[in-house]
Amino acid sequence: MNASTEHSLSKVPAVTLMFWIIKIAATTLGETGGDAVSMSMNLGYLVGTAIFAVVFLIAVFAQIKAKHFYPVLYWTTIIATTTVGTTLADFADRSLGIGYTGGATLLFFLLTASLAIWYRTLGTVSVDTVSSPKAEMFYWVTIMFSQTLGTALGDWTADTAGLGYSAGAFIFTGLLGIVAAIYYWTNISRTLLFWAAFILTRPLGAVVGDFLDKPLNDGGLALSRYSTSATLFFIIFASVLLFPQRAAKKAEH
């Protein structure tokens, strides 16, 4: 790869079908992995959040310092955002006592504020422009808020709304299908549709993860959080290694 080609590439992957498949698997891992640390290990939401926050910060630092797009590093950082998002949302919803509705509302405003500040600062929130340290900081903060919101929204759908995990998964899959249809059949902003899909994959992963590891009496399959997380981890990194990931092309200005 020559210098001009490298200069034209972003530090995030091109958005393909495999991108979305890995993303959904990563969000599901975030739910089972976060629950494994905070619940199965009995460390609690605050300690779990602190542990994953350190991993998140290290991963983001490495991602920003990297000169090029590295698939394993990128998806490691995504997994870090999903796990810290799970424990942080659970801490806000349960330990702080603001409930799923309050947590989802708060996180929605934080996510909106992050996108608004990003847009006001750089003039775009397109992932095709994520190549500078400043853009990457906005990108990862926004993703962290979106992952945390997704956890709260998934819990709200399954528990507060009383729809359960299976119905919740059906709803979010349907919403993603609508976003995909809009993408293919309209000219609505691709950036808007990307973030809509990105946000919706997180509550889908949350309800699927809960369906896999929650007790039978609660509508789950009661699978081991450890083995489920390990299996998802293997699937994600096997997919990253077997299906080549290419960097997205930077948007032209």
Side-chain angles (χ1 to χ4, degrees):
M1 183 181 295
N2 58 42
S4 61
T5 301
E6 289 180 351
H7 185 68
S8 68
L9 297 179
S10 173
K11 287 174 62 179
V12 299
V15 180
T16 63
L17 177 60
M18 184 52 61
F19 171 89
W20 293 115
I21 291 172
I22 298 174
K23 170 62 166 60
I24 292 171
T27 59
T28 307
L29 171 59
E31 190 70 21
T32 60
D35 287 348
V37 171
S38 62
M39 297 180 186
S40 297
M41 293 183 181
N42 293 316
L43 295 180
Y45 302 125
L46 182 59
V47 173
T49 298
I51 292 171
F52 290 125
V54 170
V55 176
F56 167 69
L57 291 173
I58 292 172
V60 169
F61 178 79
Q63 175 72 20
I64 292 175
K65 294 294 290 183
K67 299 300 183 182
H68 313 292
F69 167 64
Y70 297 103
V72 172
L73 176 58
Y74 175 84
W75 287 108
T76 297
T77 311
I78 286 289
I79 292 171
T81 67
T82 66
T83 48
V84 73
T86 295
T87 54
L88 182 58
D90 287 341
F91 176 73
D93 297 343
R94 300 168 187 174
S95 297
L96 295 183
I98 62 177
Y100 297 131
T101 302
T105 301
L106 172 62
L107 289 161
F108 174 78
F109 282 112
L110 289 172
L111 174 60
T112 303
S114 178
L115 285 167
I117 295 170
W118 181 1
Y119 184 83
R120 185 175 180 83
T121 302
L122 299 180
T124 178
V125 294
S126 172
V127 295
D128 295 336
T129 63
V130 180
S131 56
S132 68
K134 182 178 289 187
E136 285 190 89
M137 285 297 297
F138 281 118
Y139 178 78
W140 289 112
V141 168
T142 300
I143 283 181
M144 193 272 288
F145 281 141
S146 77
Q147 306 283 38
T148 311
L149 169 63
T151 300
L153 187 58
D155 288 340
W156 180 88
T157 302
D159 297 327
T160 304
L163 297 178
Y165 307 125
S166 299
F170 179 80
I171 289 171
F172 291 118
T173 299
L175 290 173
L176 282 169
I178 291 172
V179 173
I182 293 173
Y183 176 86
Y184 285 110
W185 295 334
T186 75
N187 291 320
I188 289 177
S189 167
R190 275 25 191 169
T191 298
L192 175 63
L193 293 177
F194 169 84
W195 285 111
F198 197 95
I199 292 166
L200 285 171
T201 56
R202 184 60 185 98
L204 173 60
V207 292
V208 170
D210 283 339
F211 175 70
L212 293 173
D213 67 24
K214 287 297 188 285
L216 295 174
N217 291 338
D218 293 337
L221 297 179
L223 300 179
S224 165
R225 293 186 178 111
Y226 301 122
S227 59
T228 301
S229 298
T231 300
L232 288 166
F233 185 86
F234 174 80
I235 291 172
I236 291 167
F237 280 97
S239 298
V240 170
L241 295 175
L242 293 175
F243 298 95
Q245 303 273 300
R246 69 180 189 276
K249 290 184 178 180
K250 287 169 58 177
E252 298 294 334
H253 298 287

